[in-house]
Amino acid sequence: MAETEKVGRIVKVSGPLVIAEGMGHAKIYDVVRVSDKHLIGEIIEMRGDRASIQVYEETSMLGPGEPVVTTGEPLSVELGPGLLEGMFDGIQRPLEAIKAAAGDFIERGVNVKSLDRAKKWKFVPVKNAGDKVEQGDIIGTVQENILMEHRIMVPVGVNGSIKDIKSGEFTLDEVVVTIATDKGDRELTMMQKWPVRRQRPTKAKISPEAPMITGQRVIDTFFPVTKGGTACVPGPFGSGKTVVQHQLAKWSDVEIVVYVGCGERGNEMTDVLNEFPELKDPKSGEPLMKRTVLVANTSNMPVAAREASIYTGITIGEYFKDMGYSVALMADSSSRWAEALREMSGRLEEMPGDEGYPAYLGSRLSEFYERAGRFVCLGSDNREGALTAIGAVSPPGGDLSEPVTQNTLRFVKVFWGLDADLAYRRHFPAINWLNSYSLYADVICDWVNKNVNEEFGDLRLRAMNLLQEEANLQEIVRLVGYDALSEGDQLKLEVAKSVREDYLQQNAFHELDSYASLDKQCKMLDLVLSFGDEAKKAIDAGVYLKNVLALTVRDKISRAKYTAEADVASAFADIKNEYTAKIRELIDEEANINA
């Protein structure tokens, strides 16, 4: 009877919510198997011996009286070799393995191990028998693919000395290390499990300093994010949130990318799957997919599973961060995740907060973003790792005052506000430079000034001031017209237009413009602003603005963004010399006329 005592019975089914009684033996957040179909669920509330269960699969045809079996374990992910290049659903079921076993559609109750148990991996020990080790120490490595070395770590809570360590090829179930601890021998495999709702421990959280270089000029120059920082990308439908996140996933100078498609349309995830294997890593020339993990929970998958997908993604990100890597997590989008929270909260009949979202929406968002950062990892070597969290937000109608956006802005340090008007004008990335901000800007300016170009900070400040002045001048133009402005103000408008269209606007599908290094960005911005400086000298000398703007060299400034990285220094210097000489000729001509 011991086994039957651990079986509850369904008393109510309400969409993804199942109420079961006779569950006094269970704990909150335990994983359960619901009905004879063995659907995966998670206990989210306990009232006496009644458990409210969030079921991560379709619950149609379930009814009262069916069994509910507790596993006694929290919802966890498997962490080990085989994660990279993998594509999982919101609860870490491998989609490729499911397709091979059950076809193109995920059948209810399908039970496939997250990581391949049959494949053998070559384990290379870096410690010897007799060595003392502590939690987090790297005891061996596995070359997971040509790009990435997977570092096998001592699990949290294990300290002692190595009794036996093997070398060779092993499956994930085979013991590779035996550690003698105070509580007896502990046998370790290359895989470990971790509960998704619990942050992995670290030694210390430290201030992020280095930028996460994305190659997107509007981000790197005006609104940068650090490695270990947090950012959000809110914007209405069609404003380019997914394009921005794809660009960051492709080009960011991090070692690992975890991309979570949370409730987005299936065709967007299909684009990711089709594009990533074709994209080459700029450092190695290998496919970017070799350092990417995809968690796909599309809009036609069960709503409740969206709630788990965010946690699944960030736990995988933390695992690679603990190895000492720099990791970027893209969550697209947290609004769909919040909708899952709202649905479950409504079915639990909880008191609603703003717009029906649960009152604890803010605390759940803070728990998620606080898991990002730059850390001193566990282990005796004091290695550092960074986890950058970037969440897209999809406010209905682009209304940034709605609860998900406002609560997100309380916790993130970078706000990339997407603008539908810019998107409709085909200005991509459609990040509005007047509304967006980055609280890391000063720290990163100092870093770029020291490591790339000492003029970067001044160029950035001048460009931002110019765009602010343009916004003020546009108000005057709307009232009294363009011709009422002085030639000096008209020049400001023209240079600001060049900053917007020639510098900030970027073509994600152009081979040479999709990515720009920090050095190229500095030189491009200097090229645009220096033209404005030279033109100002000409106007002060009496040259008509129309004569300056008629110079054909301006077309070369517009096309400078399509210059290959290797040719930037010489090509930009030639353009700069050309317009300096042409403007000097105009000034000399004006001087001769006046003479």
Side-chain angles (χ1 to χ4, degrees):
M1 287 296 293
E3 187 60 35
T4 57
E5 287 175 358
K6 294 190 177 182
V7 178
R9 296 288 168 184
I10 295 175
V11 293
K12 177 184 174 183
V13 178
S14 174
L17 176 67
V18 168
I19 309 293
E21 64 181 7
M23 301 290 291
H25 57 277
K27 304 186 298 293
I28 195 165
Y29 293 137
D30 274 1
V31 172
V32 297
R33 287 288 182 173
V34 179
S35 85
D36 295 327
K37 298 180 177 66
H38 304 294
L39 308 186
I40 298 175
E42 183 184 20
I43 297 175
I44 55 175
E45 185 180 82
M46 290 291 297
R47 292 184 182 178
D49 73 338
R50 281 199 167 201
S52 298
I53 300 164
Q54 179 170 257
V55 181
Y56 293 128
E57 302 184 68
E58 178 60 46
T59 58
S60 60
M61 306 302 291
L62 293 191
E66 296 196 52
V68 176
V69 181
T70 313
T71 64
E73 296 181 350
L75 185 64
S76 303
V77 289
E78 294 181 352
L79 303 168
L83 280 172
L84 292 175
E85 301 181 68
M87 182 181 181
F88 306 93
D89 73 353
I91 48 178
Q92 212 206 4
R93 292 183 299 186
L95 296 180
E96 286 291 335
I98 291 174
K99 181 180 178 182
D104 290 340
F105 296 94
I106 301 177
E107 294 181 1
R108 292 197 295 176
V110 65
N111 189 7
V112 180
K113 298 288 188 183
S114 299
L115 298 179
D116 189 348
R117 298 295 200 273
K119 186 171 181 178
K120 291 200 169 188
W121 300 94
K122 187 176 181 182
F123 176 77
V124 179
V126 296
K127 298 280 188 182
N128 300 309
D131 289 351
K132 288 195 174 298
V133 290
E134 61 182 70
Q135 56 181 357
D137 273 351
I138 295 169
I139 50 176
T141 62
V142 172
Q143 195 66 39
E144 189 162 349
N145 57 46
I146 197 168
L147 285 186
M148 297 309 304
E149 177 187 80
H150 199 109
R151 296 162 186 170
I152 308 300
M153 298 172 287
V154 177
V156 175
V158 178
N159 300 285
S161 59
I162 295 177
K163 194 172 181 181
D164 177 51
I165 188 164
K166 299 175 183 175
S167 175
E169 295 194 350
F170 305 95
T171 64
L172 295 183
D173 287 331
E174 293 181 274
V175 175
V176 293
V177 180
T178 303
I179 295 179
T181 71
D182 295 340
K183 298 175 183 177
D185 290 353
R186 179 76 180 267
E187 294 182 333
L188 304 181
T189 65
M190 290 183 280
M191 185 191 77
Q192 53 182 271
K193 282 190 170 186
W194 190 262
V196 297
R197 295 182 184 273
R198 205 169 97 216
Q199 183 172 2
R200 287 175 65 87
T202 54
K203 278 190 175 177
K205 191 170 186 176
I206 50 183
S207 297
E209 295 173 354
M212 186 179 85
I213 301 166
T214 67
Q216 311 308 298
R217 291 187 287 270
V218 65
I219 292 174
D220 289 346
T221 303
F222 288 164
F223 314 112
V225 64
T226 56
K227 288 179 179 174
T230 53
C232 74
V233 195
F237 175 80
S239 58
K241 295 183 295 297
T242 303
V243 172
V244 168
Q245 290 220 320
H246 285 196
Q247 285 294 94
L248 298 180
K250 293 172 191 174
W251 298 112
S252 298
D253 68 332
V254 292
E255 288 146 318
I256 303 286
V257 173
V258 181
Y259 190 97
V260 183
C262 180
E264 293 303 298
R265 296 183 306 284
N267 60 338
E268 293 182 350
M269 287 308 296
T270 304
D271 286 344
V272 175
L273 287 174
N274 289 336
E275 286 179 20
F276 273 50
E278 295 175 7
L279 290 167
K280 301 298 182 188
D281 181 65
K283 296 176 185 173
S284 64
E286 292 295 320
L288 274 177
M289 195 68 197
K290 290 189 179 297
R291 57 182 181 90
T292 302
V293 182
L294 293 175
V295 179
N297 186 257
T298 57
S299 53
N300 65 335
M301 289 181 178
V303 172
R306 296 178 193 174
E307 216 256 312
S309 60
I310 291 275
Y311 295 112
T312 297
I314 200 158
T315 306
I316 292 171
E318 285 180 326
Y319 174 65
F320 284 108
K321 172 264 296 176
D322 286 347
M323 295 182 195
Y325 289 128
S326 175
V327 184
L329 173 84
M330 314 292 169
D332 188 11
S333 80
S334 57
S335 292
R336 308 283 180 257
W337 169 76
E339 286 168 8
L341 282 182
R342 179 167 62 182
E343 172 159 347
M344 293 308 300
S345 177
R347 292 184 184 277
L348 286 167
E349 300 175 3
E350 295 174 336
M351 184 67 75
D354 290 346
E355 295 187 21
Y357 288 102
Y360 47 79
L361 173 65
S363 63
R364 290 288 179 86
L365 281 165
S366 72
E367 285 171 10
F368 169 70
Y369 283 107
E370 283 171 4
R371 291 172 73 168
R374 179 173 163 233
F375 299 91
V376 178
C377 305
L378 293 178
S380 54
D381 59 353
N382 290 325
R383 62 188 177 277
E384 289 183 11
L387 174 58
T388 309
I390 299 167
V393 186
S394 310
D399 176 18
L400 300 186
S401 65
E402 59 88 42
V404 181
T405 307
Q406 288 302 308
N407 277 293
T408 302
L409 292 179
R410 290 166 56 195
F411 311 116
V412 300
K413 299 290 184 69
V414 181
F415 169 62
W416 297 320
L418 294 173
D419 191 319
D421 290 337
L422 286 174
Y424 294 149
R425 297 206 303 262
R426 298 294 183 266
H427 180 112
F428 288 103
I431 294 173
N432 189 314
W433 46 87
L434 300 176
N435 299 340
S436 304
Y437 62 81
S438 170
L439 301 183
Y440 301 119
D442 292 341
V443 171
I444 290 177
C445 268
D446 292 341
W447 188 93
V448 179
N449 285 344
K450 289 176 186 173
N451 295 281
V452 182
N453 189 320
E454 61 185 14
E455 297 179 359
F456 173 78
D458 292 336
L459 291 170
R460 177 186 179 276
L461 191 60
R462 286 180 57 199
M464 283 296 290
N465 290 338
L466 187 62
L467 292 172
Q468 292 281 359
E469 284 187 65
E470 182 200 29
N472 296 332
L473 290 172
Q474 290 288 8
E475 293 291 328
I476 298 171
V477 169
R478 278 190 279 271
L479 290 172
V480 296
Y482 180 80
D483 294 333
L485 297 178
S486 67
E487 291 214 325
D489 285 342
Q490 289 180 12
L491 174 63
K492 285 180 182 176
L493 287 180
E494 290 294 332
V495 178
K497 181 183 177 184
S498 183
V499 171
R500 286 190 286 108
E501 296 182 358
D502 303 336
Y503 185 75
L504 296 183
Q505 199 167 339
Q506 200 162 346
N507 187 346
F509 299 101
H510 192 285
E511 183 182 359
L512 296 176
D513 195 35
S514 183
Y515 174 89
S517 67
L518 282 180
D519 181 59
K520 183 178 180 180
Q521 292 180 41
C522 292
K523 288 183 167 64
M524 275 184 71
L525 198 54
D526 179 58
L527 194 68
V528 173
L529 296 178
S530 294
F531 176 82
D533 295 340
E534 295 299 323
K536 181 74 169 58
K537 292 177 187 175
I539 290 169
D540 291 343
V543 178
Y544 287 117
L545 177 62
K546 65 179 182 180
N547 294 335
V548 176
L549 299 181
L551 293 174
T552 55
V553 72
R554 290 189 70 211
D555 293 335
K556 293 184 179 179
I557 297 174
S558 298
R559 294 194 299 271
K561 63 174 77 174
Y562 304 119
T563 306
E565 293 278 351
D567 303 327
V568 163
S570 58
F572 284 18
D574 290 346
I575 295 171
K576 198 170 183 179
N577 291 336
E578 183 177 346
Y579 67 61
T580 302
K582 294 287 186 185
I583 291 174
R584 176 56 55 193
E585 288 175 14
L586 291 176
I587 294 173
D588 292 343
E589 286 175 13
E590 187 63 29
N592 291 334
I593 291 170
N594 292 333

